[in-house]
Amino acid sequence: MAKVAVVLSGCGVYDGAEINEAVLTLLSLEQQGASYQCFAPDREQMHVINHLTGEPVAGESRNVLVEAARIARGNIKPLTDARVADFDALVVPGGFGAAKNLCDFAVAGAQMTVQADFLALARDFHQAGKPIGLICIAPVMSAAICGEGSRCTIGNEAEVAAAIEAMGGEHLECPVSEARVDTEKKLVTTPAYMLAGSVSEAYAGISDCVKEVLALS
């Protein structure tokens, strides 16, 4: 049975991990015979968003790990506890947390930096020849993790695709129901809610992403 490290970036589409994507990732892993352990950075998230209004909440701070524990039902560990030797693959659901708490793409665009602990872990997976699945907006980190020429997708959003190319990646267009595989880099990506209009649409691509990741492990 393959064992997969799943990195979450908080809880909630606007400031953390996209909840549907995270749950669908865990469901797909179970359905396809893999086990998993969730991790998240033990740090303050970039900001807190009121998900009813979409507006930032002044004066409030939340911890990424504590928030992500909501999704994982408490079964989660600090990112610094993750060891590549213990796992066969790495999967990262999307949501703005991936672009705010795992990196700063949401504010820096193509000049982004990736959070140091996450970058070190993800690069260790890549250097160990273990597959990585990046979902939704998370593929903007592809070149930073897997090197120049990394082939990935966020669907067909032109501005984000251009930023991926500017950072040294190669963007591939992809429908919501599919994933794209860079066999050389052992990198699998899917658009999920970059394109999805429903939970079932997101599930189709995420399930395909998980299938391809497990096939490479």
Side-chain angles (χ1 to χ4, degrees), residues 60-215:
E60 184 171 343
S61 63
R62 297 188 184 183
N63 179 279
V64 177
L65 176 61
V66 172
E67 289 298 293
R70 295 174 180 269
I71 298 173
R73 297 173 60 88
N75 183 16
I76 193 166
K77 297 179 180 180
L79 188 62
T80 51
D81 285 1
R83 299 290 179 266
V84 173
D86 296 335
F87 297 96
D88 301 296
L90 170 68
V91 177
V92 184
F96 275 101
K100 292 178 177 179
N101 303 326
L102 298 184
C103 70
D104 59 1
F105 180 80
V107 293
Q111 283 71 51
M112 73 169 193
T113 58
V114 181
Q115 196 269 337
D117 290 335
F118 173 70
L119 182 60
L121 178 68
R123 282 180 171 173
D124 283 350
F125 268 92
H126 176 63
Q127 289 165 6
K130 296 183 177 183
I132 297 171
L134 302 176
I135 296 167
C136 189
I137 194 64
V140 298
M141 298 182 283
S142 295
I145 294 167
C146 299
E148 288 210 7
S150 297
R151 306 174 79 224
C152 63
T153 189
I154 45 82
N156 58 16
E157 212 285 320
E159 187 174 349
V160 180
I164 287 172
E165 300 268 348
M167 291 185 286
E170 178 183 348
H171 183 262
L172 308 172
E173 291 202 0
C174 180
V176 68
S177 59
E178 298 177 10
R180 291 290 178 260
V181 183
D182 184 331
T183 306
E184 180 184 351
K185 304 281 191 182
K186 288 195 170 183
L187 174 67
V188 186
T189 55
T190 192
Y193 276 102
M194 292 296 292
L195 289 179
S198 67
V199 175
S200 59
E201 285 187 352
Y203 172 66
I206 290 170
S207 180
D208 193 45
C209 178
V210 167
K211 180 189 74 175
E212 297 293 352
V213 166
L214 294 177

Side-chain angles (χ1 to χ4, degrees), residues 11-16 43-64 67 70 100-101:
C11 180
V13 57
Y14 299 127
D15 57 14
R43 62 188 295 246
E44 294 304 299
Q45 60 190 52
M46 190 182 96
H47 58 190
V48 178
I49 298 293
N50 179 329
H51 279 64
L52 189 61
T53 65
E55 297 297 321
V57 181
E60 184 171 343
S61 63
R62 297 188 184 183
N63 179 279
V64 177
E67 289 298 293
R70 295 174 180 269
K100 292 178 177 179
N101 303 326

